[in-house]
Amino acid sequence: MRAKSSALGAALIAISTPALADHVGPSGFGSGGGISVFTPDTLDEGHWSAGLRLTYSHPEQRSEAELEELAAEHIHAHNTDYNLNASAGIAYGISHHLTVSAELPYVRRDDLREGTHEHIGGVAINGVEDLGSVTGFGDMNLLAKYRISDGGTTGFAVIGGIKIPTGNTHNQSPDGERLETEHQPGTGSWDPIFGASASTKSGAVQVTVSALYQFSTEGAQNTRLGDRFQGGIALSHRFGPAPHEHGDADSHHHGSELDEHHDEHAHSTWDAFVELAGEWEGRQKVDGGVEEASGGKWAYVAPGLRFNAASGWSAGAALALPAWQDIRASHPNNRYRLMLSVGQAF
């Protein structure tokens, strides 16, 4: 049996703002893991949890001259001042082994600018177009996590689900022109998601690994954004009283009587963690043609803290700093990413 605050974040398979493109990809947060590396824990049967997650990404800034130079090479590169993703999620324990979740993001890309290239009177003209700030609801993730192990010091779970096209794909520039799909809050595509998570712990120390892969399909404006992979490893240490549990190996399969008994012994705790994680994004296709300058990959280190209240709520924060990145020219490199989360178990 796990305390409600311990299972809370792990059950909510969340979404984060990817580094490479203007759309969300799958990820997760979990108590005992990191903030994007998630544990295999599931909610107990009949229990709920809900959470909010805020991700602020700050890209490296490229000057207008740099954008114009890339446009001269027929690379329509872009920049934003920042990218913000605020998402709300809810999860439900169908059984002790199976948890389902849904999460809907709201995105903002501030001051979007893109290099332009056109020919006027036989003369090539390069410039920078101000596309304004893009805001709106993004695509919803519906996911299921099935825990194969029965508890104890090790765990393993598999994840499956789909991203459904709930987001807006008709935002316009200040000139009234419809923005390209990669800049829209939504994609217009139905994308399958698969993944897994495993963890092992010794006393207050836990090691967690997780990975998720999203298969992109064709969406709005004949655009197929690149597939996405996100994964990593997290090392965490819990500070606080050790849980006083009775019959831990078997209590995971009992009902509300043991739930109530366990809650009597709950204590507030702190988790300190560090993640080594990475993301990869494939090239996108528009009208069947491959955008060679799109996609890329990066790896980052993210230290963080999380508070787990005895009453069932938790709050966490982490700062992701790039350790290495190889992002193609259409997108800027990353400077940092700030991730915040708060949730409540019922």
Side-chain angles (χ1 to χ4, degrees):
M1 172 66 63
R2 290 163 301 283
K4 289 182 180 180
S5 60
S6 178
L8 168 63
L12 277 175
I13 308 299
I15 49 179
S16 64
T17 305
L20 312 180
D22 297 315
H23 288 280
V24 297
S27 186
F29 61 88
S31 182
I35 204 163
S36 62
V37 176
F38 57 91
T39 74
D41 293 343
T42 52
L43 288 173
D44 288 315
E45 182 177 351
H47 285 200
W48 293 85
S49 65
L52 299 173
R53 181 181 176 93
L54 182 68
T55 304
Y56 174 92
S57 297
H58 189 71
E60 292 184 357
Q61 298 300 303
R62 295 188 282 199
S63 66
E64 290 195 2
E66 290 175 301
L67 294 175
E68 289 175 3
E69 289 177 5
L70 290 169
E73 301 174 17
H74 302 282
I75 298 174
H76 296 282
H78 66 271
N79 240 113
T80 58
D81 287 347
Y82 63 83
N83 298 316
L84 190 66
N85 179 286
S87 57
I90 190 168
Y92 178 72
I94 294 180
S95 70
H96 294 302
H97 285 273
L98 178 63
T99 292
V100 294
S101 65
E103 188 149 8
L104 180 68
Y106 186 85
V107 300
R108 176 181 175 86
R109 286 181 279 280
D110 190 74
D111 194 14
L112 177 63
R113 306 174 300 281
E114 186 175 59
T116 61
H117 178 84
E118 58 183 338
H119 293 269
I120 300 178
V123 178
I125 304 296
N126 302 307
V128 176
E129 184 178 8
D130 185 357
L131 300 178
S133 294
V134 180
T135 60
F137 286 101
D139 294 340
M140 177 181 289
N141 280 357
L142 298 178
L143 298 172
K145 179 196 288 186
Y146 184 80
R147 183 182 174 101
I148 296 175
S149 57
D150 287 329
T153 59
T154 61
F156 182 77
V158 293
I159 296 99
I162 192 165
K163 179 186 71 62
I164 61 177
T166 57
N168 184 17
T169 60
H170 288 81
N171 278 20
Q172 297 179 344
S173 71
D175 294 335
E177 183 179 354
R178 184 180 180 183
L179 298 177
E180 297 174 5
T181 300
E182 68 169 321
H183 300 319
Q184 298 284 351
T187 65
S189 64
W190 297 75
D191 299 344
I193 301 169
F194 300 95
S197 174
S199 68
T200 183
K201 61 182 178 180
S202 176
V205 177
Q206 180 166 321
V207 177
T208 306
V209 295
S210 69
L212 282 174
Y213 193 96
Q214 177 177 308
F215 295 91
S216 296
T217 63
E218 186 171 299
Q221 302 180 90
N222 299 317
T223 299
R224 181 188 181 277
L225 300 178
D227 290 355
R228 291 178 176 83
F229 171 83
Q230 295 176 238
I233 182 170
L235 175 66
S236 62
H237 187 287
R238 174 154 294 183
F239 298 91
H244 301 289
E245 300 184 20
H246 299 273
D248 182 71
D250 297 326
S251 63
H252 183 63
H253 296 286
H254 290 276
S256 58
E257 181 179 352
L258 280 179
D259 291 346
E260 295 170 0
H261 181 71
H262 177 81
D263 288 343
E264 295 175 2
H265 301 282
H267 297 280
S268 297
T269 60
W270 285 89
D271 292 330
F273 59 85
V274 61
E275 292 182 338
L276 178 59
E279 300 173 354
W280 167 86
E281 180 183 315
R283 292 180 174 89
Q284 68 172 344
K285 293 182 179 180
V286 180
D287 293 325
V290 177
E291 299 284 338
E292 294 293 339
S294 62
K297 48 191 176 290
W298 80 309
Y300 60 86
V301 177
L305 290 171
R306 179 175 44 252
F307 176 71
N308 309 296
S311 58
W313 67 271
S314 67
L319 179 65
L321 301 171
W324 172 86
Q325 48 190 327
D326 180 18
I327 299 176
R328 298 187 182 97
S330 66
H331 296 83
N333 285 341
N334 304 284
R335 293 189 62 188
Y336 64 86
R337 175 190 294 173
L338 177 64
M339 297 172 283
L340 306 172
S341 67
V342 62
Q344 173 71 51
F346 305 97

